[in-house]
Amino acid sequence: MEPKSTAELELIKDGRIAWLIFNRPKVRNAMTWGMYDALERHCQALSDDPEVDVVVLRGSGGEAFVAGTDIKQFIGFETAQHALDYEHRIDEVIGALESLGKPTIALLEGFCVGGGAAIAMACDFRYCTPDLRFGVPIAKTLGNCVSITNVSRLVDLVGAARAKEVLMLAKLFGADEAKQAGLVTEVVAAEKIEAEVRQVAERLGGFAPLTLRASKEGVSRVLAARRPPAGSEEDLIALCYTSRDFKSAVKAFVDKTPHAWRGE
């Protein structure tokens, strides 16, 4: 299902299924601040919408779910507070998705990296095509770090050893390995995935909504009890985002020029 307008985050209601479609295909649906704001608003509204049973998230264009935050958004970062405000804001947005009181499904095609991986991990179910490339390759690209909450989500899904592969080796999971690791629910051929996800959504829509809500919230409470407190990583965020490495990596990415790490 493709968006019918030029909105960067499109909401389409199809029966009792709501489709949230990230719609910047020319840049692999990279997220702007406005898209994050819209995602939070939609999640809050859909949670209370009596006409919606299930929410499906997908990217437009077929090449990517979401390829992270648009790196141009980082050009103005100068202080540790800029970085802390950004990571706290992302936590708020992803938290609104994770706590949405209805089942959520991520339909993943192609690249699902950085902020896209965080969005996908906050969904209840993930279905992918065979060309999935899932990861957080910031050790290779920008030299920043992610919030402790997003690290926790990754560890919850794939375990500490594989989380280190993703974060430290900048590894991108393919579809089969993601399925084996429990990261995705199922791998489905590209031409069949929309129908498969729709069928799953309709199946969920036929179940007891209060039981689904209670089950989802119960799992969330178990996971929350195991997670370190938000904000406990602020020194790590400040270390990375205020570094010369980060500033030069952002500039190099935007300018499409070579970059060398200095560790400072």
Side-chain angles (χ1 to χ4, degrees):
M1 177 174 291
E2 291 295 319
K4 299 177 181 178
S5 79
T6 58
E8 292 182 342
L9 179 58
E10 179 76 3
L11 169 62
I12 299 175
K13 293 182 181 179
D14 183 11
R16 299 190 64 82
I17 304 171
W19 295 75
L20 284 174
I21 304 176
F22 303 102
N23 186 30
R24 298 183 74 212
K26 291 183 179 180
V27 289
R28 290 178 173 168
N29 305 314
M31 296 287 286
T32 63
W33 303 150
M35 291 170 72
Y36 280 121
D37 291 344
L39 178 58
E40 182 182 41
R41 288 196 304 271
H42 284 316
C43 288
Q44 292 169 344
L46 291 169
S47 191
D48 297 324
D49 191 335
E51 297 181 353
V52 171
D53 292 330
V54 181
V55 179
V56 179
L57 295 84
R58 75 178 302 182
S60 67
E63 292 186 6
F65 176 68
V66 169
T69 299
D70 190 324
I71 291 174
K72 293 178 181 178
Q73 309 275 293
F74 295 128
I75 291 175
F77 278 31
E78 296 292 340
T79 67
Q81 195 59 51
H82 289 150
L84 294 173
D85 289 346
Y86 165 69
E87 288 294 343
H88 293 164
R89 179 63 185 138
I90 297 303
D91 277 350
E92 289 174 351
V93 174
I94 304 302
L97 171 59
E98 188 174 47
S99 63
L100 199 158
K102 294 168 184 177
T104 54
I105 304 172
L107 190 163
L108 309 177
E109 299 170 284
F111 287 91
C112 177
V113 296
I119 292 169
M121 289 190 296
C123 293
D124 300 314
F125 306 97
R126 285 159 294 279
Y127 289 77
C128 75
T129 53
D131 63 347
L132 175 71
R133 303 293 284 168
F134 179 98
V136 187
I138 52 178
K140 181 179 180 180
T141 56
L142 290 186
N144 59 332
C145 67
V146 298
S147 74
I148 200 73
T149 304
N150 280 317
V151 173
S152 295
R153 290 189 182 101
L154 181 60
V155 173
D156 287 339
L157 285 170
V158 302
R162 281 194 169 104
K164 288 181 181 179
E165 289 185 68
V166 171
L167 296 172
M168 298 174 69
L169 290 176
K171 179 174 181 176
L172 296 179
F173 278 83
D176 291 339
E177 188 172 10
K179 175 66 165 64
Q180 183 182 26
L183 179 63
V184 298
T185 310
E186 198 62 71
V187 181
V188 185
E191 66 273 15
K192 297 180 179 179
I193 192 165
E194 183 176 318
E196 175 73 13
V197 167
R198 186 185 299 276
Q199 185 178 56
V200 173
E202 291 173 349
R203 181 183 178 193
L204 286 164
F207 293 160
L210 295 182
T211 298
L212 294 180
R213 184 166 190 159
S215 299
K216 177 172 180 172
E217 176 61 21
V219 171
S220 293
R221 292 182 187 183
V222 169
L223 294 176
R226 301 205 307 240
R227 290 176 179 171
S232 59
E233 81 289 26
E234 289 188 351
D235 59 324
L236 307 178
I237 292 172
L239 172 70
C240 292
Y241 278 93
T242 61
S243 67
R244 292 182 181 179
D245 273 346
F246 175 72
K247 290 183 184 350
S248 60
V250 169
K251 187 176 187 304
F253 187 94
V254 172
D255 295 343
K256 296 181 171 56
T257 57
H259 168 72
W261 303 110
R262 295 176 177 272
E264 57 184 33

